[in-house]
Amino acid sequence: MTTNSMVKLMLQKKGDFCSGEELSRELRISRTAVWKQIKTLREKGYLIEAAPRRGYRLVGLPDRLYPEIFTVGLNTSLLKGPYYHFMKVDSTNRALRQLAEEGKPQGTIVIAEEQLQGRGRLGRSWHSPPGKGIWISVLLKPPLAPENSACLTLLAGVTVQKTIQEVTGLETGIKWPNDILYSGDKLCGILTEIKAEMEALHYLIVGIGLNVNQGKSDFPPELAKSSSLKIITGQKQDRHQLTTALLQNMDNLYRLFLQEGFGAIREMWKGKNITLGQKITVHRQGAASFSATALDIDGKGRLKIVTEEGREDTITAGEVSLNPE
Ligand code: BTN
């Protein structure tokens, strides 16, 4: 905790010196303990300059998604942590499920620099190299019937689309249910997992994988249709800033959803979607794929389609690909 407070205090100084005496007074620790904390922070990758009689100043942040950095300036009312940061984890969704089972509250967040067994939709894996993306899972406990949980999947897509637009200026599109694409290349995938009984949703885990700073060679050949914000903008992006904006936007939209229902989120989703009105192929696990036209999203976040034979249907799970014109 002292480490977090020390980073926050030094960040508030915006690069100015902070004397050892001030740090010791503000954090209520001895001068020796201040020195130990500075050493710990340097080991975590913080660049801290020390000058006789002037004290310490923070001159560089590590490119690691430490919560004490991305929570500065965050003003959330529902997604308030606790935050768990891992250098390596099998899957942030899996780690968060364990924490949820231990009774952790709504707003608990797991973030990792690298996932060794990142999970994708429909049983696929998710490529999650160290330090290149945002691999994050958020625990939500909305008072909803399980059949409405797809609304939150769509909410997560709107969150990411909006975050990318705000931070980088890029206009991306959402493919149902929540893939974020730019010029046909995938930038982000979202895996929502729920624990529910027939009538009751216990909790929902929203896992977001956003490709941020990969270069072309960081993607294996089978991910030729994937891209990153760095590849598209030509610039390395600030993962801290993106994470802060992502959590702030998710908190704002989730609050709106709880207060007013799915209506406004549905309209936002429709405003940024690239699926409706398109000819698509529907893929479902363990079933044959078929062609259809995407018509609309219903009040539960499901996709309304019409098949080539003219039969109308609604799909809840699965994935669609956009057919070439
Ligand atoms: C997809 O297949 O499009 C969904 C990919 C979801 C990946 C994210 S990364 C963070 C979270 N943890 C996981 O194991 N998967 C999700």
Side-chain angles (χ1 to χ4, degrees), residues 90-94 115 117-122 124-126 128 134-137 179 186 188-191 207-210 319:
D90 49 359
S91 149
T92 55
N93 269 29
R94 207 274 320 139
Q115 293 187 116
Q117 288 174 311
R119 303 209 298 240
R121 300 182 65 234
L122 304 181
R124 289 182 298 235
S125 62
W126 183 258
S128 323
I134 299 177
W135 326 126
I136 188 169
S137 300
D179 283 350
K186 183 157 161 172
C188 175
I190 300 171
L191 176 67
I208 300 176
L210 175 59
E319 185 163 85

Side-chain angles (χ1 to χ4, degrees), residues 8 30 62 99 107 119 174 220 224 284 289 319:
K8 291 205 162 157
S30 69
L99 291 163
R119 303 209 298 240
I174 314 176
R284 284 190 280 196
S289 302
E319 185 163 85

Side-chain angles (χ1 to χ4, degrees), residues 9-262:
L9 204 66
M10 290 179 110
L11 280 169
Q12 277 161 16
K13 293 271 173 186
K14 296 191 170 26
D16 283 342
F17 278 98
C18 195
S19 71
E21 191 192 329
E22 187 181 347
L23 285 169
S24 141
R25 191 176 48 220
E26 291 288 330
L27 303 172
R28 296 167 199 270
I29 55 173
S30 69
R31 295 291 290 275
T32 318
V34 167
W35 168 242
K36 278 197 188 139
Q37 287 297 331
I38 296 282
K39 191 163 165 284
T40 309
L41 287 177
R42 282 178 170 154
E43 279 161 11
K44 284 180 84 178
Y46 289 89
L47 295 180
I48 298 170
E49 211 176 87
R53 286 184 302 281
R54 303 185 72 185
Y56 305 97
R57 68 172 175 167
L58 193 54
V59 290
L61 293 173
D63 184 8
R64 288 187 188 155
L65 292 174
Y66 293 137
E68 68 263 22
I69 305 177
F70 69 72
T71 53
V72 172
L74 191 63
N75 183 16
T76 48
S77 56
L78 299 165
L79 310 185
K80 298 204 307 192
Y83 301 94
Y84 296 83
H85 172 266
F86 295 98
M87 288 306 294
K88 264 189 221 287
V89 74
D90 49 359
S91 149
T92 55
N93 269 29
R94 207 274 320 139
L96 185 54
R97 176 174 282 260
Q98 189 176 327
L99 291 163
E101 289 297 314
E102 288 166 13
K104 291 288 182 285
Q106 162 159 281
T108 301
I109 286 159
V110 173
I111 191 157
E113 298 301 322
E114 178 179 13
Q115 293 187 116
L116 300 171
Q117 288 174 311
R119 303 209 298 240
R121 300 182 65 234
L122 304 181
R124 289 182 298 235
S125 62
W126 183 258
H127 185 61
S128 323
K132 301 280 180 172
I134 299 177
W135 326 126
I136 188 169
S137 300
V138 180
L139 181 62
L140 301 179
K141 299 187 180 179
L144 277 187
E147 66 196 65
N148 289 310
S149 53
C151 298
L152 289 158
T153 300
L154 270 55
L155 183 150
V158 174
T159 300
V160 177
Q161 197 286 336
K162 190 166 163 27
T163 301
I164 294 176
Q165 205 279 329
E166 283 173 7
V167 177
T168 69
L170 284 181
E171 276 299 343
T172 55
I174 314 176
K175 179 167 75 71
W176 187 85
N178 54 14
D179 283 350
I180 306 295
L181 305 191
Y182 185 85
S183 288
D185 290 341
K186 183 157 161 172
L187 278 172
C188 175
I190 300 171
L191 176 67
T192 308
E193 297 182 285
I194 63 170
K195 176 161 179 188
E197 283 164 36
M198 285 296 278
E199 302 292 319
L201 179 65
H202 294 301
Y203 60 78
L204 190 134
I205 289 172
V206 182
I208 300 176
L210 175 59
N211 297 328
V212 181
N213 284 327
Q214 290 101 323
K216 276 246 171 280
S217 60
D218 290 314
F219 290 101
E222 65 275 17
L223 296 183
K225 292 301 284 172
S226 291
S227 195
S228 75
L229 295 176
K230 182 178 164 198
I231 294 172
I232 295 166
T233 60
Q235 272 168 351
K236 186 173 179 203
Q237 298 293 326
D238 183 340
R239 292 189 306 139
H240 297 126
Q241 191 192 354
L242 282 161
T243 307
T244 310
L246 185 83
L247 291 174
Q248 191 64 58
N249 282 325
M250 187 179 276
D251 191 78
N252 296 345
L253 292 173
Y254 184 46
R255 212 157 2 101
L256 177 69
F257 173 78
L258 293 180
Q259 281 161 4
E260 294 180 19
F262 184 49

